[in-house]
Amino acid sequence: MTNGVMNVKKDRLRYTKNKLSSTLAILGIVFDALYFISIYSSDVGNYFYNYIIGASVVYNLLFLLCVFLSSEGVKSYKLGYAIALIVVGAMQVGRIFYIPLKAHSSMVSVGVEMVPAMDGKQFAYVIVCLVLSAVACIVSGVIGIYKTRVLEGYNKQLAGAEA
């Protein structure tokens, strides 16, 4: 691409919102919602009735709040919100190793038989939901950082040209 075309693309950043990062962050919320609907609707014995699920509910509320706020922040090219999305995305990966993995490897009694607290099908589903949520948040953050840095560099270039 020629330098003029690149400058036009950079100049457009000044007048448009970062919709891609914002949309990906909202997609991360959607996948998290699918995850917690699956977990909270599980009714296998009394495995899911403890303080860990209470902490998970609080975490999900904070996740939803943080990611929604960050989706609005990255839309306006704010670097801190893009970084927050990457951190939250990494935390989503970490969540795989707590409730889903423990529930899949734990057995509970239902009537007279012992069954896994989370069967293989649900386990795969919640892992996919968490991974997709994490990927959406991390990609949103990376794109947000890239576009914010490009815009900041272009603004400095314009300020230097005016001086």
Side-chain angles (χ1 to χ4, degrees):
M1 276 192 229
T2 65
N3 196 25
V5 173
M6 285 303 294
N7 282 342
V8 169
K9 287 187 177 214
K10 291 176 186 176
D11 199 47
R12 283 198 65 210
L13 291 176
R14 295 171 51 199
Y15 304 105
T16 60
K17 299 286 185 185
N18 185 357
K19 292 182 210 163
L20 179 59
S21 285
S22 180
T23 302
L24 285 169
I26 297 299
L27 193 60
I29 289 174
V30 169
F31 287 122
D32 183 67
L34 293 173
Y35 159 77
F36 72 74
I37 287 169
S38 177
I39 292 289
Y40 301 155
S41 65
S42 294
D43 190 21
V44 181
N46 60 1
Y47 181 81
F48 291 104
Y49 301 118
N50 57 33
Y51 70 93
I52 293 169
I53 291 300
S56 176
V57 169
V58 171
Y59 177 85
N60 273 315
L61 291 172
L62 292 173
F63 173 86
L64 295 172
L65 212 65
C66 179
V67 174
F68 182 74
L69 179 64
S70 295
S71 77
E72 291 300 312
V74 294
K75 195 187 295 184
S76 300
Y77 302 100
K78 304 269 196 281
L79 187 62
Y81 291 108
I83 293 168
L85 281 168
I86 292 172
V87 170
V88 169
M91 290 170 65
Q92 287 292 85
V93 172
R95 291 179 77 186
I96 293 170
F97 301 103
Y98 203 69
I99 291 177
L101 196 58
K102 281 186 169 189
H104 184 61
S105 61
S106 296
M107 300 296 279
V108 295
S109 67
V110 176
V112 293
E113 62 182 305
M114 296 295 284
V115 296
M118 182 181 292
D119 65 8
K121 189 176 171 183
Q122 183 186 17
F123 179 69
Y125 176 76
V126 297
I127 296 302
V128 167
C129 287
L130 283 174
V131 167
L132 290 174
S133 176
V135 167
C137 288
I138 291 169
V139 171
S140 172
V142 168
I143 291 170
I145 289 171
Y146 173 75
K147 286 187 173 185
T148 300
R149 294 246 166 101
V150 167
L151 180 60
E152 287 173 350
Y154 185 67
N155 286 337
K156 285 180 185 175
Q157 178 186 350
L158 288 177
E162 290 175 1

